[in-house]
């Protein structure tokens, strides 16, 4: 072969490729974040999203939580028509209004909080639950309004109030309007407390920022799930501020229970019975 001969070039296929078909096994299995065991997702869901090997509490969707804890067919949702706006015209890597639009489309939820009225073991409750998938469960103007209405509705119906909190804190895209929700929700609790019914606050993983610094800590009874991260600022920020090494397990529910910050840690499978017991005693 002559030294100047050329090998034929490999033809490049410029035709658009069909999108790969999703695997039939995709989504059927989940990996535990703690013990790395592979779990059949259907088994995990039947076990209230708790790992059967190490008891790690995985994230549990808000609507699934409410359906499991409330009496069957007792939940009536309110305030679903409320949707957040863009009062500041905020934009970072993406316009806030576009971020809201895409998140609503993907999740099918108008905002990061679901509220309504239901029953637990026959006891009527005004209840709310954070949707953490919606922008980290951040509290903007609409979330704050919905939380306040949970307590206003409980006051009007003369029933107990329960809020399941899972949030990264105030929604930065709404600036001062988000921070004002801390005062609004706290004031709604003060009005609710003119009655005789209890407010039960259930802290999930994570409950941080402005949510932890306002209504979540104001419960008459404060419960938490095992190993939930609960606090205002993150451990790294606190260490940099006080220039000290924090103790092991700082801001986890077990640490807070030992230091008298919460009343009890309740396993998910026991939560409905515990709420029913508290409502029977106090409600």
């Amino acid at each position: 072969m002559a030294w100047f001969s050329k090998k034929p070039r490999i033809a490049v296929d410029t035709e658009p490729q069909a999108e790969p078909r999703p695997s039939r096994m995709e989504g059927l299995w989940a990996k535990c974040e703690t013990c790395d065991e592979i779990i059949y997702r259907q088994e995990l869901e039947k076990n209230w999203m708790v790992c059967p090997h190490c008891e790690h509490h995985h994230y549990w969707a808000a609507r699934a939580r409410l359906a499991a804890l409330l009496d069957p067919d007792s939940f009536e949702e309110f305030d679903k028509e409320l949707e957040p706006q863009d009062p500041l015209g905020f934009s970072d890597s993406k316009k806030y209004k576009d971020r809201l639009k895409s998140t609503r489309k993907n999740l099918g939820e108008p905002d990061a909080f679901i509220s309504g009225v239901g029953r637990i073991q026959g006891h009527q409750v005004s209840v709310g639950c954070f949707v953490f998938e919606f922008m980290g469960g951040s509290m903007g103007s609409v979330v704050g309004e919905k939380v306040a209405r949970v307590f206003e509705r409980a006051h009007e119906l003369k029933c107990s109030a329960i809020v399941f909190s899972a949030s990264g804190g105030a929604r930065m895209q709404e600036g001062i309007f988000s921070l004002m929700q801390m005062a609004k929700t706290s004031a709604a609790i003060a009005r609710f407390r003119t009655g005789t019914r209890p407010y039960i606050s259930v802290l999930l993983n994570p409950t941080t920022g402005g949510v932890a610094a306002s209504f979540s800590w104001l419960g008459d009874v404060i419960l938490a799930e095992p190993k939930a991260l609960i606090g205002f600022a993150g451990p790294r920020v606190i260490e940099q501020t006080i220039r000290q090494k924090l103790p092991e397990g700082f801001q986890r529910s077990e640490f807070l229970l030992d230091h008298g910050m919460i009343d009890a840690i309740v396993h998910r499978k026991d939560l409905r019975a515990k709420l029913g017991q508290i409502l029977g005693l106090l409600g």
Side-chain angles (χ1 to χ4, degrees), residues 1-274:
M1 181 182 294
W3 65 269
F4 51 83
S5 63
K6 296 181 180 179
K7 294 182 180 180
R9 292 182 178 179
I10 300 174
V12 178
D13 187 4
T14 58
E15 292 294 323
Q17 299 293 319
E19 293 185 4
R21 294 181 179 180
S23 170
R24 294 177 60 185
M25 303 299 288
E26 187 176 353
L28 292 179
W29 303 90
K31 185 177 181 180
C32 179
E33 301 168 6
T34 302
C35 67
D36 293 334
E37 288 286 341
I38 304 299
I39 313 161
Y40 188 40
R41 182 168 290 278
Q42 195 172 40
E43 179 186 356
L44 188 62
E45 291 172 353
K46 286 181 179 178
N47 202 38
W48 297 35
M49 296 302 291
V50 177
C51 176
H53 303 283
C54 68
E55 298 293 309
H56 174 70
H57 285 50
H58 290 258
Y59 175 74
W60 200 13
R63 293 194 180 274
R65 182 184 298 275
L66 292 173
L69 295 177
L70 298 174
D71 294 349
D73 302 320
S74 70
F75 181 63
E76 181 183 0
E77 186 173 357
F78 288 89
D79 308 321
K80 194 171 183 178
E81 73 283 359
L82 297 181
E83 294 186 352
Q85 303 300 315
D86 185 11
L88 303 178
F90 189 91
S91 179
D92 45 23
S93 60
K94 189 175 184 180
K95 289 183 179 179
Y96 178 42
K97 61 181 180 181
D98 294 338
R99 196 182 298 277
L100 287 172
K101 184 177 179 180
S102 62
T103 307
R104 287 193 201 111
K105 182 179 178 180
N106 293 336
L107 295 180
E109 298 288 352
D111 206 349
F113 193 77
I114 299 170
S115 60
V117 173
R119 292 186 177 273
I120 295 179
Q121 295 186 355
H123 302 282
Q124 188 180 35
V125 293
S126 180
V127 62
C129 185
F130 274 81
V131 182
F132 190 75
E133 309 100 301
F134 198 108
M135 298 182 69
S138 52
M139 181 172 64
S141 303
V142 168
V143 170
E145 177 64 21
K146 285 188 173 184
V147 172
R149 290 189 185 189
V150 168
F151 300 107
E152 291 170 357
R153 198 171 292 120
H155 181 72
E156 293 169 3
L157 297 174
K158 295 180 171 58
C159 67
S160 302
I162 301 176
V163 176
F164 299 91
S165 298
S167 174
R171 187 171 297 174
M172 70 172 202
Q173 289 88 348
E174 294 186 25
I176 190 63
F177 295 100
S178 291
L179 298 179
M180 290 169 62
Q181 307 313 307
M182 298 170 66
K184 178 198 286 186
T185 54
S186 300
I189 292 174
R191 181 168 180 262
F192 166 73
R193 286 220 168 98
T194 60
T196 59
R197 304 295 181 174
Y199 160 39
I200 305 173
S201 179
V202 184
L203 308 180
L204 312 176
N205 181 46
T207 301
T208 58
V211 171
S214 55
F215 63 87
S216 288
W217 281 118
L218 296 178
D220 298 301
V221 178
I222 303 177
L223 308 177
E225 287 191 337
K227 298 182 180 178
L229 176 64
I230 304 163
F232 177 61
R236 179 176 56 83
V237 175
I238 296 174
E239 284 185 340
Q240 290 176 350
T241 302
I242 66 175
R243 298 180 182 179
Q244 292 181 20
K245 185 69 177 174
L246 297 173
E248 187 70 24
F250 180 76
Q251 289 186 326
R252 294 291 172 176
S253 49
E254 290 77 9
F255 182 90
L256 298 176
L257 180 64
D258 291 341
H259 290 77
M261 298 294 289
I262 61 177
D263 295 302
I265 296 173
V266 185
H267 192 286
R268 226 171 250 173
K269 67 180 180 181
D270 302 321
L271 186 55
R272 175 176 157 82
K274 176 62 73 175

